[in-house]
Amino acid sequence: MFIRLAEQHRQFVQDLVMNLQALATVLENKGYLASCYTCGSQMNSASFMVSLGDNHLIRFLVSDYGITWTEMRDDRELMKLEGAEAINQLQDLANLVKYQVQPSESSYRPVTNYV
């Protein structure tokens, strides 16, 4: 049972990395500064970053060790989420692409109300 779960987890991470690479490409094509870096050819980890303007940066890290979403503004951390909560925030970001919102029109706001 544990071997099967480990393999499912590896596949999940690989799928997530491929989706992050695609999201970075699409965001770049929409005018956002975005990147997705992977380590090695096995796609078992990635660092995804996107600038939403006004010194507003999102960093999403995925590896076998975990998943984190960090949102920063003016070099200050606004929030940090892990696991399923991080993936939910990633979906909100992906909705920017889905609904074709341009960077200057972005209504994306962090979950928290920090200023």
Side-chain angles (χ1 to χ4, degrees):
M1 173 177 78
F2 295 111
I3 293 172
R4 178 181 54 83
L5 291 173
E7 182 55 37
Q8 286 176 341
H9 179 74
R10 275 190 284 280
Q11 186 61 49
F12 167 77
V13 169
Q14 288 175 351
D15 289 348
L16 187 52
V17 169
M18 285 190 301
N19 281 292
L20 287 171
Q21 289 175 324
L23 180 59
T25 299
V26 171
L27 284 168
E28 281 184 321
N29 291 338
K30 296 283 185 187
Y32 292 91
L33 296 174
S35 64
C36 183
Y37 298 100
T38 61
C39 299
S41 61
Q42 295 185 355
M43 299 184 44
N44 57 5
S45 64
S47 172
F48 169 87
M49 296 177 83
V50 62
S51 173
L52 299 178
D54 297 329
N55 294 318
H56 190 184
L57 181 69
I58 304 296
R59 182 178 62 208
F60 189 88
L61 302 173
V62 60
S63 73
D64 282 340
Y65 302 108
I67 297 167
T68 59
W69 164 284
T70 306
E71 189 163 347
M72 296 170 283
R73 188 179 295 257
D74 298 322
D75 295 326
R76 292 176 48 199
E77 188 174 296
L78 298 177
M79 83 171 144
K80 186 171 190 173
L81 302 172
E82 297 180 347
E85 292 176 337
I87 294 171
N88 284 335
Q89 280 298 110
L90 188 62
Q91 180 62 57
D92 289 345
L93 180 61
N95 286 339
L96 287 174
V97 176
K98 183 177 179 181
Y99 298 113
Q100 300 180 348
V101 176
Q102 298 301 315
S104 61
E105 302 169 1
S106 175
S107 62
Y108 176 83
R109 299 288 179 258
V111 170
T112 55
N113 291 322
Y114 296 109
V115 177

